[in-house]
mmCIF file of all heavy atoms in Angstrom:
data_model
loop_
_atom_site.group_PDB
_atom_site.id
_atom_site.type_symbol
_atom_site.label_atom_id
_atom_site.label_comp_id
_atom_site.label_asym_id
_atom_site.label_seq_id
_atom_site.Cartn_x
_atom_site.Cartn_y
_atom_site.Cartn_z
ATOM 1 N N ASP J 1 16.157 -6.276 -2.820
ATOM 2 C CA ASP J 1 16.848 -5.791 -4.002
ATOM 3 C C ASP J 1 18.123 -5.132 -3.497
ATOM 4 O O ASP J 1 18.094 -3.986 -3.036
ATOM 5 C CB ASP J 1 15.970 -4.798 -4.764
ATOM 6 C CG ASP J 1 16.607 -4.318 -6.051
ATOM 7 O OD1 ASP J 1 17.835 -4.460 -6.210
ATOM 8 O OD2 ASP J 1 15.888 -3.789 -6.902
ATOM 9 N N ASN J 2 19.229 -5.858 -3.550
ATOM 10 C CA ASN J 2 20.471 -5.343 -2.984
ATOM 11 C C ASN J 2 21.000 -4.140 -3.761
ATOM 12 O O ASN J 2 21.704 -3.301 -3.189
ATOM 13 C CB ASN J 2 21.528 -6.436 -2.919
ATOM 14 C CG ASN J 2 21.258 -7.427 -1.796
ATOM 15 O OD1 ASN J 2 20.444 -7.173 -0.905
ATOM 16 N ND2 ASN J 2 21.942 -8.559 -1.831
ATOM 17 N N ALA J 3 20.666 -4.044 -5.023
ATOM 18 C CA ALA J 3 21.091 -2.882 -5.805
ATOM 19 C C ALA J 3 20.458 -1.598 -5.268
ATOM 20 O O ALA J 3 21.011 -0.515 -5.429
ATOM 21 C CB ALA J 3 20.738 -3.081 -7.277
ATOM 22 N N LYS J 4 19.298 -1.747 -4.656
ATOM 23 C CA LYS J 4 18.582 -0.593 -4.100
ATOM 24 C C LYS J 4 18.671 -0.553 -2.577
ATOM 25 O O LYS J 4 18.045 0.313 -1.953
ATOM 26 C CB LYS J 4 17.110 -0.635 -4.519
ATOM 27 C CG LYS J 4 16.894 -0.524 -6.012
ATOM 28 C CD LYS J 4 15.405 -0.553 -6.349
ATOM 29 C CE LYS J 4 15.184 -0.404 -7.855
ATOM 30 N NZ LYS J 4 13.736 -0.449 -8.206
ATOM 31 N N ASN J 5 19.416 -1.469 -1.984
ATOM 32 C CA ASN J 5 19.523 -1.553 -0.523
ATOM 33 C C ASN J 5 18.153 -1.575 0.134
ATOM 34 O O ASN J 5 17.930 -0.925 1.165
ATOM 35 C CB ASN J 5 20.346 -0.376 0.025
ATOM 36 C CG ASN J 5 21.803 -0.468 -0.358
ATOM 37 O OD1 ASN J 5 22.356 -1.560 -0.504
ATOM 38 N ND2 ASN J 5 22.441 0.677 -0.538
ATOM 39 N N THR J 6 17.247 -2.336 -0.456
ATOM 40 C CA THR J 6 15.849 -2.332 -0.010
ATOM 41 C C THR J 6 15.358 -3.756 0.208
ATOM 42 O O THR J 6 15.647 -4.655 -0.592
ATOM 43 C CB THR J 6 14.961 -1.623 -1.035
ATOM 44 O OG1 THR J 6 15.425 -0.277 -1.216
ATOM 45 C CG2 THR J 6 13.518 -1.572 -0.547
ATOM 46 N N VAL J 7 14.598 -3.933 1.262
ATOM 47 C CA VAL J 7 13.905 -5.193 1.524
ATOM 48 C C VAL J 7 12.413 -4.896 1.565
ATOM 49 O O VAL J 7 11.994 -3.817 2.006
ATOM 50 C CB VAL J 7 14.396 -5.843 2.834
ATOM 51 C CG1 VAL J 7 14.076 -4.979 4.033
ATOM 52 C CG2 VAL J 7 13.799 -7.232 3.005
ATOM 53 N N TYR J 8 11.634 -5.842 1.073
ATOM 54 C CA TYR J 8 10.189 -5.665 0.952
ATOM 55 C C TYR J 8 9.454 -6.731 1.761
ATOM 56 O O TYR J 8 9.962 -7.826 1.983
ATOM 57 C CB TYR J 8 9.758 -5.763 -0.512
ATOM 58 C CG TYR J 8 10.479 -4.824 -1.432
ATOM 59 C CD1 TYR J 8 11.564 -5.265 -2.181
ATOM 60 C CD2 TYR J 8 10.072 -3.503 -1.556
ATOM 61 C CE1 TYR J 8 12.241 -4.408 -3.038
ATOM 62 C CE2 TYR J 8 10.738 -2.640 -2.411
ATOM 63 C CZ TYR J 8 11.813 -3.096 -3.139
ATOM 64 O OH TYR J 8 12.476 -2.235 -3.985
ATOM 65 N N LEU J 9 8.229 -6.394 2.132
ATOM 66 C CA LEU J 9 7.327 -7.374 2.722
ATOM 67 C C LEU J 9 5.972 -7.209 2.039
ATOM 68 O O LEU J 9 5.273 -6.228 2.268
ATOM 69 C CB LEU J 9 7.190 -7.188 4.230
ATOM 70 C CG LEU J 9 6.343 -8.252 4.925
ATOM 71 C CD1 LEU J 9 7.065 -9.609 4.885
ATOM 72 C CD2 LEU J 9 6.032 -7.872 6.367
ATOM 73 N N GLN J 10 5.664 -8.145 1.160
ATOM 74 C CA GLN J 10 4.369 -8.154 0.496
ATOM 75 C C GLN J 10 3.388 -8.887 1.386
ATOM 76 O O GLN J 10 3.603 -10.062 1.709
ATOM 77 C CB GLN J 10 4.467 -8.851 -0.871
ATOM 78 C CG GLN J 10 3.144 -8.942 -1.609
ATOM 79 C CD GLN J 10 2.605 -7.590 -2.016
ATOM 80 O OE1 GLN J 10 3.343 -6.749 -2.512
ATOM 81 N NE2 GLN J 10 1.302 -7.380 -1.821
ATOM 82 N N MET J 11 2.332 -8.210 1.769
ATOM 83 C CA MET J 11 1.358 -8.777 2.702
ATOM 84 C C MET J 11 0.011 -8.902 1.993
ATOM 85 O O MET J 11 -0.581 -7.888 1.606
ATOM 86 C CB MET J 11 1.235 -7.892 3.942
ATOM 87 C CG MET J 11 2.560 -7.630 4.631
ATOM 88 S SD MET J 11 2.382 -6.739 6.181
ATOM 89 C CE MET J 11 1.764 -5.169 5.597
ATOM 90 N N ASN J 12 -0.452 -10.111 1.826
ATOM 91 C CA ASN J 12 -1.731 -10.387 1.178
ATOM 92 C C ASN J 12 -2.697 -11.031 2.178
ATOM 93 O O ASN J 12 -2.281 -11.529 3.220
ATOM 94 C CB ASN J 12 -1.537 -11.315 -0.016
ATOM 95 C CG ASN J 12 -0.650 -10.716 -1.085
ATOM 96 O OD1 ASN J 12 -0.618 -9.501 -1.292
ATOM 97 N ND2 ASN J 12 0.092 -11.567 -1.791
ATOM 98 N N SER J 13 -3.962 -11.023 1.826
ATOM 99 C CA SER J 13 -4.990 -11.648 2.670
ATOM 100 C C SER J 13 -4.857 -11.183 4.117
ATOM 101 O O SER J 13 -4.872 -11.993 5.054
ATOM 102 C CB SER J 13 -4.892 -13.179 2.591
ATOM 103 O OG SER J 13 -5.033 -13.613 1.257
ATOM 104 N N LEU J 14 -4.746 -9.889 4.287
ATOM 105 C CA LEU J 14 -4.513 -9.346 5.620
ATOM 106 C C LEU J 14 -5.692 -9.589 6.545
ATOM 107 O O LEU J 14 -6.860 -9.599 6.108
ATOM 108 C CB LEU J 14 -4.211 -7.851 5.528
ATOM 109 C CG LEU J 14 -2.778 -7.537 5.076
ATOM 110 C CD1 LEU J 14 -2.663 -6.107 4.565
ATOM 111 C CD2 LEU J 14 -1.804 -7.770 6.213
ATOM 112 N N LYS J 15 -5.373 -9.784 7.815
ATOM 113 C CA LYS J 15 -6.365 -10.050 8.841
ATOM 114 C C LYS J 15 -6.258 -8.974 9.927
ATOM 115 O O LYS J 15 -5.189 -8.382 10.106
ATOM 116 C CB LYS J 15 -6.109 -11.420 9.476
ATOM 117 C CG LYS J 15 -6.067 -12.571 8.507
ATOM 118 C CD LYS J 15 -5.692 -13.858 9.216
ATOM 119 C CE LYS J 15 -5.612 -15.023 8.248
ATOM 120 N NZ LYS J 15 -5.228 -16.288 8.939
ATOM 121 N N PRO J 16 -7.311 -8.742 10.671
ATOM 122 C CA PRO J 16 -7.233 -7.749 11.754
ATOM 123 C C PRO J 16 -6.095 -8.045 12.729
ATOM 124 O O PRO J 16 -5.486 -7.106 13.259
ATOM 125 C CB PRO J 16 -8.603 -7.871 12.423
ATOM 126 C CG PRO J 16 -9.520 -8.283 11.317
ATOM 127 C CD PRO J 16 -8.700 -9.226 10.475
ATOM 128 N N GLU J 17 -5.790 -9.301 12.949
ATOM 129 C CA GLU J 17 -4.704 -9.658 13.874
ATOM 130 C C GLU J 17 -3.326 -9.339 13.318
ATOM 131 O O GLU J 17 -2.325 -9.468 14.038
ATOM 132 C CB GLU J 17 -4.781 -11.133 14.278
ATOM 133 C CG GLU J 17 -4.887 -12.092 13.123
ATOM 134 C CD GLU J 17 -6.329 -12.522 12.842
ATOM 135 O OE1 GLU J 17 -7.210 -11.637 12.846
ATOM 136 O OE2 GLU J 17 -6.544 -13.728 12.613
ATOM 137 N N ASP J 18 -3.231 -8.898 12.086
ATOM 138 C CA ASP J 18 -1.956 -8.442 11.521
ATOM 139 C C ASP J 18 -1.671 -6.985 11.882
ATOM 140 O O ASP J 18 -0.592 -6.479 11.583
ATOM 141 C CB ASP J 18 -1.954 -8.572 9.994
ATOM 142 C CG ASP J 18 -2.014 -10.017 9.525
ATOM 143 O OD1 ASP J 18 -1.323 -10.866 10.124
ATOM 144 O OD2 ASP J 18 -2.745 -10.292 8.554
ATOM 145 N N THR J 19 -2.613 -6.349 12.518
ATOM 146 C CA THR J 19 -2.452 -4.946 12.906
ATOM 147 C C THR J 19 -1.293 -4.770 13.878
ATOM 148 O O THR J 19 -1.128 -5.562 14.809
ATOM 149 C CB THR J 19 -3.742 -4.424 13.548
ATOM 150 O OG1 THR J 19 -4.779 -4.399 12.558
ATOM 151 C CG2 THR J 19 -3.570 -3.021 14.111
ATOM 152 N N GLY J 20 -0.503 -3.722 13.667
ATOM 153 C CA GLY J 20 0.602 -3.437 14.560
ATOM 154 C C GLY J 20 1.606 -2.520 13.894
ATOM 155 O O GLY J 20 1.433 -2.116 12.739
ATOM 156 N N VAL J 21 2.651 -2.194 14.631
ATOM 157 C CA VAL J 21 3.768 -1.444 14.076
ATOM 158 C C VAL J 21 4.772 -2.459 13.539
ATOM 159 O O VAL J 21 5.190 -3.364 14.264
ATOM 160 C CB VAL J 21 4.424 -0.538 15.122
ATOM 161 C CG1 VAL J 21 5.607 0.207 14.505
ATOM 162 C CG2 VAL J 21 3.406 0.445 15.684
ATOM 163 N N TYR J 22 5.143 -2.296 12.295
ATOM 164 C CA TYR J 22 6.073 -3.214 11.642
ATOM 165 C C TYR J 22 7.463 -2.579 11.604
ATOM 166 O O TYR J 22 7.619 -1.446 11.137
ATOM 167 C CB TYR J 22 5.588 -3.539 10.238
ATOM 168 C CG TYR J 22 4.478 -4.567 10.239
ATOM 169 C CD1 TYR J 22 3.222 -4.255 10.751
ATOM 170 C CD2 TYR J 22 4.680 -5.850 9.746
ATOM 171 C CE1 TYR J 22 2.205 -5.199 10.783
ATOM 172 C CE2 TYR J 22 3.671 -6.804 9.770
ATOM 173 C CZ TYR J 22 2.442 -6.466 10.288
ATOM 174 O OH TYR J 22 1.437 -7.407 10.312
ATOM 175 N N TYR J 23 8.420 -3.347 12.082
ATOM 176 C CA TYR J 23 9.794 -2.885 12.163
ATOM 177 C C TYR J 23 10.703 -3.700 11.253
ATOM 178 O O TYR J 23 10.574 -4.925 11.168
ATOM 179 C CB TYR J 23 10.322 -3.007 13.587
ATOM 180 C CG TYR J 23 9.600 -2.171 14.600
ATOM 181 C CD1 TYR J 23 8.521 -2.682 15.316
ATOM 182 C CD2 TYR J 23 10.000 -0.864 14.858
ATOM 183 C CE1 TYR J 23 7.858 -1.921 16.250
ATOM 184 C CE2 TYR J 23 9.339 -0.086 15.807
ATOM 185 C CZ TYR J 23 8.276 -0.624 16.492
ATOM 186 O OH TYR J 23 7.616 0.138 17.422
ATOM 187 N N CYS J 24 11.633 -3.020 10.643
ATOM 188 C CA CYS J 24 12.668 -3.647 9.847
ATOM 189 C C CYS J 24 13.915 -3.782 10.722
ATOM 190 O O CYS J 24 14.208 -2.892 11.542
ATOM 191 C CB CYS J 24 12.950 -2.754 8.636
ATOM 192 S SG CYS J 24 14.268 -3.300 7.564
ATOM 193 N N ALA J 25 14.640 -4.879 10.554
ATOM 194 C CA ALA J 25 15.853 -5.107 11.330
ATOM 195 C C ALA J 25 16.942 -5.681 10.439
ATOM 196 O O ALA J 25 16.648 -6.376 9.458
ATOM 197 C CB ALA J 25 15.580 -6.057 12.487
ATOM 198 N N ALA J 26 18.186 -5.386 10.797
ATOM 199 C CA ALA J 26 19.329 -5.884 10.039
ATOM 200 C C ALA J 26 20.357 -6.484 10.985
ATOM 201 O O ALA J 26 20.642 -5.912 12.043
ATOM 202 C CB ALA J 26 19.970 -4.744 9.246
#
């Protein structure tokens, strides 16, 4: 949403292997 200067990551059906630190980059 560029009006809010925000990026999202919707994560569904999560698995244990998705565990970690999530970083945003530009």
Side-chain angles (χ1 to χ4, degrees):
D1 183 342
N2 285 346
K4 297 181 179 179
N5 291 329
T6 301
V7 64
Y8 305 98
L9 185 68
Q10 178 66 44
M11 305 186 294
N12 298 328
S13 302
L14 282 161
K15 304 175 181 179
E17 51 263 44
D18 294 318
T19 294
V21 179
Y22 281 68
Y23 297 92
C24 177

